[in-house]
Amino acid sequence: VLEIREFRVDVGTTVSVVDTAEAGDTVQGSFSFFNAGAETAPGLDYNLRLTPGLTGVTFSNLPSGATASYDDTTGEVTLSGLPSSLDSGDTRTGMNFSYTAPVSGPLLVTTGISTTAVDEYPDNDTADAVTGVGAVDVETAVTGVPAAAATGATVQGSILFANRGSSDALDVTYTAAICVDSAAVAGHIPDDYIFTSIPSSVTARHDRATGRV
């Protein structure tokens, strides 16, 4: 039996930005917050973060009475004047930001929203987008690894390699390591590793002695 049930409260956010830019270009992006649930979402907290150290940061098309202030040291944007609650189906879309692209990237922007109610679908509570700068702008990231796990639990994570630039990146070297810091501690080396979703013709093997993959 398939049951389709509407979420009572489901706040969410989206963000988009251009994929690539050259140093000195004006980079533009937009973000939104919404409640897709059937009931009002109270006690809202909104978050926006840009890459630290940017210049020429501006914001436009904010709702009446709302303001945004960028801290170039942390990258945090203080959003004020946005509604403390969103009714069912209510959205705040089309809010824009822009900045001058520095000499290198990648440049990450993240958004987030939370509510004091029970959010029945939290997967869309955060969003992110990346802009690469220059002809070649390689990037790597590790995501999804929990801060703690019980003994015997399966720990999962993802490794990303990307080129955010506008041209091909040649002669790329990839490196990864798992449990390097704990390798010398007895019992801290996992019994087994399984690598999945890797490209065809690519293999991965973990060296228990060095931690290198």
Side-chain angles (χ1 to χ4, degrees):
V1 177
L2 175 63
E3 179 184 5
I4 299 176
R5 180 175 58 87
E6 187 174 31
F7 295 125
R8 288 178 295 177
V9 173
D10 175 23
V11 294
T13 180
T14 63
V15 63
S16 62
V17 70
V18 295
D19 291 333
T20 61
E22 296 296 329
D25 286 353
T26 297
V27 177
Q28 295 182 324
S30 63
F31 60 101
S32 68
F33 301 107
F34 59 86
N35 176 22
E39 299 178 4
T40 298
L44 296 178
D45 183 51
Y46 305 89
N47 297 286
L48 171 62
R49 188 178 191 277
L50 304 176
T51 298
L54 299 176
T55 60
V57 178
T58 62
F59 302 92
S60 62
N61 205 36
L62 299 176
S64 177
T67 61
S69 177
Y70 169 72
D71 186 326
D72 62 359
T73 300
T74 64
E76 296 292 339
V77 177
T78 300
L79 297 170
S80 303
L82 292 175
S84 60
S85 64
L86 289 175
D87 293 336
S88 173
D90 199 0
T91 64
R92 295 294 185 272
T93 62
M95 296 178 285
N96 302 319
F97 61 87
S98 65
Y99 57 83
T100 302
V103 296
S104 63
L107 308 172
L108 176 66
V109 54
T110 60
T111 56
I113 184 173
S114 62
T115 173
T116 54
V118 176
D119 188 341
E120 296 188 334
Y121 185 70
D123 290 8
N124 56 3
D125 289 358
T126 60
D128 60 73
V130 179
T131 297
V133 178
V136 175
D137 188 0
V138 293
E139 173 197 7
T140 185
V142 177
T143 59
V145 180
T151 301
T154 298
V155 176
Q156 295 180 325
S158 297
I159 301 173
L160 166 74
F161 296 108
N163 174 22
R164 304 294 184 181
S166 57
S167 299
D168 294 343
L170 305 179
D171 299 325
V172 177
T173 300
Y174 305 87
T175 59
I178 305 175
C179 292
V180 174
D181 294 338
S182 61
V185 182
H188 282 214
I189 303 176
D191 294 330
D192 193 19
Y193 293 87
I194 300 175
F195 298 94
T196 60
S197 301
I198 57 178
S200 60
S201 77
V202 174
T203 60
R205 183 181 63 84
H206 181 257
D207 188 326
R208 291 172 59 87
T210 65
R212 293 188 176 277
V213 177

